[in-house]
Amino acid sequence: MRRRTALVLLWILTLALPAVSRLGAQEKKEGPPEPKFKVGDMAPDFTLSDQNGNKVTLSSFRGKKNVALAFYIFAFTGG
Amino acid sequence: MQAFQGQLAKLEAADTQVLGISMDSPFSNKAWAEKINVTFPLLSDWGGDTTKEYGLYNQQRKIGRRINYLIDKQGKIAEVQLDSEAIDPTKIVDACERRKLKN
């Protein structure tokens, strides 16, 4: 009886093991997102509010000024 | 952002508008701008639509990614600085000044 139980447990383990090891692999595949646009591409337009409630549209600067667009992660962290 | 503030005069002299952008609320941005003495616009991408459109949204950690773009007067991307390279915007400042000299 005991030997059969042991064999059943071993069988369950061999079934479970690949699934468990795949969990780790999934974590490793996720990395930082790849930026969609590169040098030479048109920068997608947007309209967003600044800290004073003014709406700012990226395309409004066309023909007038360059834009240095700086994405940061969150206020009060790093720089 | 402080690094950009430090180079703001040079950038403005080279016809460049600086815009910060993150998924913070305008309220957080206002408090932070006052704390670190930033005078240029900090744009609120609340909800992350623009961050996602630019391919910068990390689905797993629910945060964006640090990146600087120099966008020229035609609306095209001229320079990119990613992650730690984005901390010092000197490369972008230099590119703006070179463009100014060309024109």
Side-chain angles (χ1 to χ4, degrees):
Chain A
M1 209 45 160
R2 260 160 136 212
R3 206 183 93 133
R4 208 161 43 198
T5 318
L7 283 173
V8 169
L9 283 172
L10 196 61
W11 177 70
I12 292 171
L13 211 68
T14 50
L15 286 178
L17 209 60
V20 169
S21 63
R22 255 198 297 275
L23 280 173
Q26 257 172 9
E27 293 271 349
K28 280 175 210 157
K29 271 184 208 162
E30 295 284 351
E34 273 312 302
K36 269 194 209 159
F37 304 98
K38 54 190 196 308
V39 173
D41 292 339
M42 287 295 288
D45 198 13
F46 53 75
T47 298
L48 297 173
S49 291
D50 73 7
Q51 67 274 35
N52 297 312
N54 303 311
K55 287 210 180 272
V56 177
T57 298
L58 181 64
S59 56
S60 69
F61 299 100
R62 272 186 219 166
K64 298 183 203 139
K65 292 189 181 183
N66 305 310
V67 173
L69 182 64
F71 280 86
Y72 56 98
I73 297 182
F74 277 118
F76 299 98
T77 69
Chain B
M1 295 301 109
Q2 293 96 313
F4 272 104
Q5 187 67 33
Q7 310 237 39
L8 205 60
K10 278 194 190 174
L11 286 160
E12 285 176 352
D15 298 341
T16 302
Q17 172 68 51
V18 181
L19 300 174
I21 176 174
S22 73
M23 296 193 291
D24 287 289
S25 67
F27 304 103
S28 295
N29 283 334
K30 185 153 181 73
W32 195 45
E34 281 167 13
K35 180 170 204 269
I36 62 170
N37 292 311
V38 150
T39 58
F40 56 85
L42 296 179
L43 304 181
S44 167
D45 182 30
W46 185 254
D49 283 350
T50 301
T51 301
K52 286 172 188 165
E53 195 181 359
Y54 274 70
L56 303 172
Y57 185 69
N58 187 321
Q59 195 71 249
Q60 207 188 4
R61 298 176 65 201
K62 310 246 185 290
I63 58 170
R65 195 169 182 185
R66 188 191 268 131
I67 189 170
N68 294 333
Y69 292 103
L70 174 61
I71 299 164
D72 68 19
K73 291 179 186 177
Q74 287 74 47
K76 269 207 214 150
I77 296 170
E79 298 281 348
V80 177
Q81 289 179 299
L82 186 57
D83 297 331
S84 55
E85 208 205 333
I87 296 171
D88 179 3
T90 300
K91 184 174 108 168
I92 284 186
V93 178
D94 290 347
C96 292
E97 292 184 321
R98 280 198 304 273
R99 280 166 179 270
K100 183 84 183 162
L101 289 172
K102 268 193 215 167
N103 292 333

